[in-house]
Structure formats: C-alpha cells, structure tokens
Amino acid sequence: MKLKVYADRMSQPSRAILIFCKVNGIDFEEIHIELSKRQQLSPEFQAINPFKKVPAIVDGRFNLFESHAILIYIASAFPGVADHWYPADVSRKAKIHAVLDWHHLNLRRGAAGFVLNTVLAPLLGLPLNKEAAAEAEKVLTSSLSTIENIWLKGDGQYLLGGFRPSIADLSLVCEIMQLQLLDEKEHDRILGPHKKVQTWIASTRNATKPHFDEVHNVLYKLKLRLSLKQSSQADGERKSGIKGPIISKM
Amino acid sequence: MKLKVYADRMSQPSRAILIFCKVNGIDFEEIHIELSKRQQLSPEFQAINPFKKVPAIVDGRFNLFESHAILIYIASAFPGVADHWYPADVSRKAKIHAVLDWHHLNLRRGAAGFVLNTVLAPLLGLPLNKEAAAEAEKVLTSSLSTIENIWLKGDGQYLLGGFRPSIADLSLVCEIMQLQLLDEKEHDRILGPHKKVQTWIASTRNATKPHFDEVHNVLYKLKLRLSLKQSSQADGERKSGIKGPIISKM
C-alpha cells in the first residue's frame, strides 16, 4: 500500500514533506486536507492525527504526525533516500536533531507568528495583533541571525557546514519561504540583511528543483493575489483619499 | 576520554540527561555550570554551546546541545543502553520523536512559562508577569490534558502505551517536576485533575530510582526553602497586618 501524505500546501511543514518525497522518488499519494475548509477537524482525519493538524502520514497501519518526525521516518524507512538527507553517522545525525529542536521555539515561532499577525490574520477573519507581530519579529530576526552566524558557519552552502542539504535545510527553508507573503518592502527589510541566508535558500531551492517551485506554487499565486489587491487598494485610496485596512476573503 | 555533561541541576533538561546517564551506567563527568552565577556566559562555555545554555555535552572532540538531541545521541552512541529508552525499531522511534517534537511548543512553553512567572521571577530579580502566567497556565493545563488523553492512552504505564520508559517519558516528567516549586495548593490545583499523569510520574520516578530523587534533590531543597519563607512571611503579615510581594535573593 502506498504511503499517504495528508497535507495542505498552504502549510510550510506540509510543503517540506511533499518536496522531500518528490525529490527522493518516494511512491506516495498526496491527500489534500483543506485547512480553509476546516477539513482537518473531520473525525476521519482526527483518527489519523488527534491534534487535527497537517501534515500527517499513514504508512500501512502506521500513522504519524509532527513534521520533523515524519521527515526522519521517511528518510529511515524508505530505501533510496541519499545519506546526506539524514546521515547514518550518529554524530552528524545528532547535529541535525539539534537544529530541528532549535527550530520549534525559534524560527517557527518567529516566522509563523510574524506572517500570521501581518498578512494572514485578515485572510482568516482574525484581527491583526500589532503587539504579537512586534514580538514575533524580534524572535524571527534573532533566528535569522542565528542561522547566519551559527548554523551556516562553515565552508559548505548548507546548515552545519554541509555541502549537500539535509532534512533540516529543507524544513527551515520551507519555514522561511512563508515570508514570501509579505509585501516586497517588508520582505526585503526582514531578509535583506541576511545574505548568507538568501544564498542558502537559493541553494536549497536549486538542489530540489523542479519540485521546490512546483510545491511552492500555491504560495507564489497567493503572493500575486495579495500584491494585486494591495495595488488596487492603493489605487482606490489615491482616488478616494481614504486609507483603510486590507480586508480580504479567501 | 570520559563524556562530559555540562549541567545545572536547577535546569529540568539538565536533570533529564543526568538521570539518564546514571540509570544507564554511562561513565561520565558532570561539570557544574552555575546559571545563578551566569557561568554559561563564559567564553569557554560558549565554545561548547554558542547558545549559552545548559545542558551541553562534549564527547571527545564532539560537542552537542539541545537536550532531546543529547538524549538520542547518548542512547545511540553508548553501548549498554536498553532498547526501551530509544528503540531501534523505526516506527517506535518515530513515535518518540513525535512526542519530543510536541514537547517544545506545548509542555515546555507552558510549564517553564508558568513556573517562571509565578515562582522563579522574584528569585531571579525579575518582575512577576501575571498576564504571561495566565497565558502559560492555559498552555500548561492543555498540555497536561493532552498527555493524559492522547500520549498516555493505551495499556502501559508510559507514553505511547509503553510498559517501560523511553527518553520521552524522562524528558517530559522532568519538565513537569519543576511544578514542585509551586506552593502545595497551586501544585494540587494544576496537577490534581490529572490522575494518569500523576501515576506516570510515579512510575518514571520508580523506574529510575535512586537517581531520580538524588538529581532532583536540589529542587526539593529549594521547595522547602520557599515554603519556609512563605510561612514566615504569612506569619509576619499576620503580625503586621501588611500584605506584600515575596522578595527573595538566592
């Protein structure tokens, strides 16, 4: 029976797993769980993941959730995944675990909190929380500095000085990719100072092409819609002389 | 060369690693990094952990931080660690990873945030933040319910229905043990409704004795000091008729 991946491409850890499976030629079925339709709350999906979140997988009678655990499982249980993704060597593996552990309370908290409170909230019918955005921005910029100065220290193009990407590179790059939803100026303000981070994102994208862009396409399209909405709003404001919040229904 | 464990027994992930090493007969040296003296900020320690946090380990020329990564490394790299701590089986291992991943943004955030903002802040010279305490309490009680209803579902006494403890049991129980610092009433209010959690803590303590209590002794002593301070303060208040904040210097 094929591996089943329950995902919504609007979720960054879902994207990481889909790209990983595609790059490694895993024979899998993508099952779309549409978060905007709250499909993750169905009893059928709760039987797979009681936390009602994507991504999750079912492999035969085995179900699993938490994206890092899934990446490690697929890399370990499926033949043909190149060693650089999740090395057999205990010490190299340990360093990858350390990056993934760090991810949770740092980059994830910062990036997800910032994008939610600056872009996504109105699309989800939630109020924008300026204080939470400012708090998340601090965590995000400190996390980007840490990636630049600690995790990307070394000769290689990838985290931990590697010359080929690991599951940690893919997971963290997919997390950062959600910043694409910010408007151009905001995006450049946040990512601009981190040149090494930008090169590393480009390297990871390049090492996983064409799947990286194919899976991120949903994000690129939403970005385009947001920019169009923003310019037509700016246009309207110029005409009416009124400034108002961006309110959008997905 | 012996494994070096850099730890402060006041830190819950430090305690988990010390107990794990002792229970498994690992030949190691405990190097005390006293957080209250800010020894984690020394350049020598920063060369081991650039994040300036305990625990960290040095094994020969290999250094590592992040407590989950350390537990997995020791379980994998040292002979003689029983399989139940970190099973060789890929599926059982994956479920342990999922619990450990969940830990970061849930139990850790809740328990550490709550204890900091109700007990520890004055000892560290920080103001008590009631709002942060209330927020952390929500995360904490929801995490305890999740442990009770999801992770402890099954026949066994341990997480994931196990009959013997894993590194996830040890890590999560050590996290919860910091609630010992709350006064009796608060402790019972938070933990009281979670009978399965209480039994599981007792089982984990029992499976790792006498090391569990030996390593937690620093916590038990501080708890005693806090209760004495509290009763003498209450006594003083009764005599003077004045209510004031607990201010303590460690």
Side-chain angles (χ1 to χ4, degrees), chain B residues 25-81:
Chain B
I26 308 288
D27 187 23
F28 77 103
E29 183 187 350
E30 177 180 350
I31 298 167
H32 185 55
I33 298 292
E34 195 157 336
L35 299 177
S36 69
K37 291 186 181 159
R38 303 169 76 82
Q39 289 177 346
Q40 76 277 20
L41 306 182
S42 76
E44 294 77 23
F45 186 68
Q46 278 189 55
I48 293 163
N49 183 358
F51 292 100
K52 308 168 209 165
K53 284 180 180 173
V54 288
I57 60 167
V58 172
D59 187 20
R61 288 184 306 171
F62 178 70
N63 69 316
L64 188 66
F65 39 89
E66 285 290 345
S67 69
H68 296 168
I70 293 173
L71 287 168
I72 292 174
Y73 174 79
I74 297 175
S76 309
F78 286 77
V81 175

Side-chain angles (χ1 to χ4, degrees), chain A residues 4 24-25 36 41 47 53 70 74 79 91 103 107 114 122 126 134 137 147 153 158 166 177 189 206 211 219 224 239:
Chain A
K4 286 182 175 134
N24 288 290
S36 70
L41 306 181
K53 283 179 179 172
I70 294 173
I74 298 175
S91 309
H103 181 190
L107 181 63
F114 188 67
L126 300 168
E137 186 180 331
I147 294 174
K153 213 169 135 182
Y158 297 101
S166 77
M177 281 299 290
R189 184 177 67 81
N206 197 40
H211 311 292
L219 200 72
L224 191 66
K239 282 177 190 156

Side-chain angles (χ1 to χ4, degrees), chain B:
Chain B
M1 212 192 292
K2 256 190 199 178
L3 172 73
K4 287 184 174 134
V5 177
Y6 295 80
D8 183 329
R9 292 185 180 202
M10 278 304 297
S11 114
Q12 61 277 17
S14 288
R15 291 195 293 268
I17 286 164
L18 293 172
I19 294 166
F20 186 70
C21 287
K22 284 168 184 258
V23 168
N24 288 291
I26 308 288
D27 187 23
F28 77 103
E29 183 187 350
E30 177 180 350
I31 298 167
H32 185 55
I33 298 292
E34 195 157 336
L35 299 177
S36 69
K37 291 186 181 159
R38 303 169 76 82
Q39 289 177 346
Q40 76 277 20
L41 306 182
S42 76
E44 294 77 23
F45 186 68
Q46 278 189 55
I48 293 163
N49 183 358
F51 292 100
K52 308 168 209 165
K53 284 180 180 173
V54 288
I57 60 167
V58 172
D59 187 20
R61 288 184 306 171
F62 178 70
N63 69 316
L64 188 66
F65 39 89
E66 285 290 345
S67 69
H68 296 168
I70 293 173
L71 287 168
I72 292 174
Y73 174 79
I74 297 175
S76 309
F78 286 77
V81 175
D83 187 71
H84 63 87
W85 287 110
Y86 186 61
D89 177 81
V90 171
S91 308
R92 288 173 60 208
K93 199 177 269 190
K95 293 280 191 182
I96 290 175
H97 293 156
V99 177
L100 292 173
D101 285 336
W102 171 86
H103 181 190
H104 290 284
L105 280 164
N106 296 282
L107 181 63
R108 169 153 306 157
R109 208 156 59 94
F114 188 67
V115 172
L116 176 68
N117 287 296
T118 52
V119 183
L120 287 183
L123 303 176
L124 301 168
L126 300 168
L128 281 174
N129 182 337
K130 276 194 181 177
E131 216 171 276
E135 198 51 51
E137 187 181 329
K138 270 189 227 160
V139 181
L140 173 59
T141 52
S142 146
S143 298
L144 291 170
S145 296
T146 296
I147 294 174
E148 184 109 356
N149 301 320
I150 298 180
W151 299 125
L152 283 173
K153 214 169 135 180
D155 297 331
Q157 300 145 277
Y158 298 101
L159 301 174
L160 306 165
F163 288 88
R164 303 202 63 186
S166 77
I167 53 171
D169 292 283
L170 190 55
S171 176
L172 270 62
V173 164
C174 285
E175 193 72 64
I176 296 175
M177 282 300 289
Q178 65 184 307
L179 301 179
Q180 288 283 330
L181 294 181
L182 303 175
D183 74 44
E184 217 64 44
K185 233 168 118 184
E186 269 292 269
H187 182 265
D188 292 352
R189 184 177 68 82
I190 300 282
L191 268 182
H194 304 286
K195 302 295 171 209
K196 264 177 129 174
V197 168
Q198 291 174 44
T199 311
W200 161 65
I201 294 171
S203 301
T204 306
R205 180 187 180 198
N206 198 41
T208 56
K209 68 180 178 192
H211 310 293
F212 190 91
D213 280 343
E214 189 248 309
V215 172
H216 279 93
N217 204 27
V218 61
L219 200 71
Y220 303 152
K221 279 187 184 165
L222 177 58
K223 182 191 175 70
L224 190 68
R225 279 176 50 200
L226 287 172
S227 329
L228 290 173
K229 213 174 276 282
Q230 218 170 26
S231 28
S232 78
Q233 197 202 26
D235 214 38
E237 276 168 14
R238 263 195 302 278
K239 281 176 192 157
S240 69
I242 295 165
K243 278 202 173 188
I246 304 168
I247 293 163
S248 166
K249 278 184 190 164
M250 280 177 89

